[in-house]
Amino acid sequence: MKKLNIAIFFGGCSSEYHVSLESAEAVVRSLNTELYQPVLVGISKTGEWYCFRGDPEKIGKDCWLNETDCVPAVLSPNSHGRGLLLLEKGEVKRILVDAALPVMHGKFGEDGTIQGMIEMAGIPLVGCGVLASALCMDKERAHKLARAFGIAVPESIVLKADDNKDTWSPAGSRMKQVLEFCKKVGYPVFVKPLRAGSSFGITKVTEEDKLWEALALAFQYDDHAVLEEGIEGFEVGCAVLGCDDLTVGEVDEIQLSQGFFDFKEKYSLETSSIHVPARVEPEVSCRIKETAKTLYRALGCAVFARVDMFLTPEGNIIFNEINTIPGFTEHSRYPGMMRAAGVEFPELLDRMIRLAVKE
């Protein structure tokens, strides 16, 4: 049986660059090389593309970008060629790509940008398409669609950065809008970049004096920020796999001892724990899974995604976000939930690829 060439994209111009490297290394190490030939495409922090031919360990250690292991490369927009073009020794060489898996988190990875390039090149995409990626990246629009499908979402307002640095300062012309919202929903509130993934630029604000600082941080990552009410309860998640027929992993639960599940906690678990399966009644687990499937379909997701929600003390389910390229590191939630449902990482990758190439 002929091996399929699977282009695995990693790196990129994102604040989550290093997480992408860890995820990509884990994917490469778990890929069934009897069935698939990985074609590794690394994108530097400044946007240069390379075909990487070295040891996958170098990806995780961020020493992959070197003259020995890398050849400049571009993705051909010719949909009949389905190829990666290598610029080597003054010649252009083509590698046929049977499917492409972007393992890139945050901006330019999850927002539909690289998905559009892959689809334009005529290459089967292992993951959500352009529209679903862009919608899930935009917290406001994702919440509006969820609400239209009858799913509860947190109260929120969207704020736009202004060239006038004083606009959102404590005495700024529009700070009244922020203060009125906080008075309405009460503290804590969360300040987040609107379209910058789920790890950076987020602040849990417990008092008015911290609002300006939180907004300034969010605007470093996006020119729009969302101010969102804090939801009492805890976060639960679902790993969803499939296009028409969906497989849902075991529900997980994030137990926090302090703060919130920020970037540091996601990848260190210093003061938090993840329980798989979640410590909830079977009936509640079933409701969470059904809600995850509704959200996955409502936002047009395909192949795989992680759906994050809140479970309140009253048993209500509140939508948080959908992560269209969740982490695939050793400690990541998505493969952990699938593993708890009996799907090990190599099988998971195989099923994802087969869904994309429709075999």
Side-chain angles (χ1 to χ4, degrees), residues 17-18 25 59 63 72 90 102 123 130 133 171 187 219 239 242 259 272 277 288 310 314 346:
Y17 168 88
H18 288 96
E25 181 187 358
I59 299 176
C63 56
I123 299 171
V130 174
S133 299
Y187 291 96
F219 286 138
S272 58
I288 292 170
F310 298 107
E314 298 78 24

Side-chain angles (χ1 to χ4, degrees), residues 125-317:
L125 173 64
V126 185
C128 294
V130 174
L131 180 59
S133 299
L135 282 173
C136 291
M137 191 73 164
D138 189 307
K139 297 172 178 65
E140 179 194 23
R141 288 172 172 80
H143 281 196
K144 283 182 176 178
L145 268 175
R147 188 183 290 113
F149 278 78
I151 308 298
V153 300
E155 290 288 328
S156 65
I157 57 171
V158 174
L159 313 171
K160 187 179 185 302
D162 196 296
D163 291 336
N164 182 352
K165 300 295 184 182
D166 294 329
T167 297
W168 297 111
S169 67
S173 60
R174 297 189 62 189
M175 203 61 177
K176 181 180 177 182
Q177 179 186 3
V178 172
L179 297 177
E180 287 176 350
F181 175 82
C182 295
K183 182 178 179 180
K184 174 186 173 183
V185 302
Y187 291 96
V189 295
F190 284 86
V191 180
K192 309 175 181 180
L194 184 65
R195 300 158 300 196
S198 59
S199 294
F200 289 94
I202 302 174
T203 307
K204 180 180 181 179
V205 180
T206 57
E207 55 186 284
E208 181 180 318
D209 291 347
K210 301 296 183 182
L211 283 168
W212 161 240
E213 183 181 338
L215 282 167
L217 176 63
F219 286 138
Q220 290 180 24
Y221 293 91
D222 192 10
D223 60 3
H224 285 72
V226 60
L227 187 63
E228 198 172 276
E229 70 169 320
I231 300 297
E232 187 179 0
F234 56 88
E235 187 172 332
V236 293
C238 278
V240 184
L241 172 71
C243 295
D244 297 320
D245 298 322
L246 303 183
T247 299
V248 181
E250 287 295 335
V251 177
D252 79 352
E253 166 198 345
I254 298 173
Q255 180 185 11
L256 296 174
S257 60
Q258 63 186 47
F260 67 101
F261 205 54
D262 60 5
F263 177 80
K264 181 179 180 181
E265 280 302 316
K266 285 181 182 182
Y267 300 104
S268 69
L269 297 178
E270 287 184 5
T271 64
S272 58
S273 302
I274 297 177
H275 299 276
V276 189
R279 299 170 299 176
V280 298
E281 295 295 324
E283 179 272 332
V284 176
S285 179
C286 287
R287 284 199 294 120
I288 292 170
K289 290 178 180 180
E290 288 304 313
T291 303
K293 289 194 285 187
T294 298
L295 288 162
Y296 186 91
R297 290 184 170 119
L299 275 84
C301 297
V303 183
F304 71 98
R306 193 190 73 228
V307 184
D308 296 339
M309 296 154 282
F310 298 107
L311 183 66
T312 72
E314 298 78 24
N316 297 321
I317 298 169

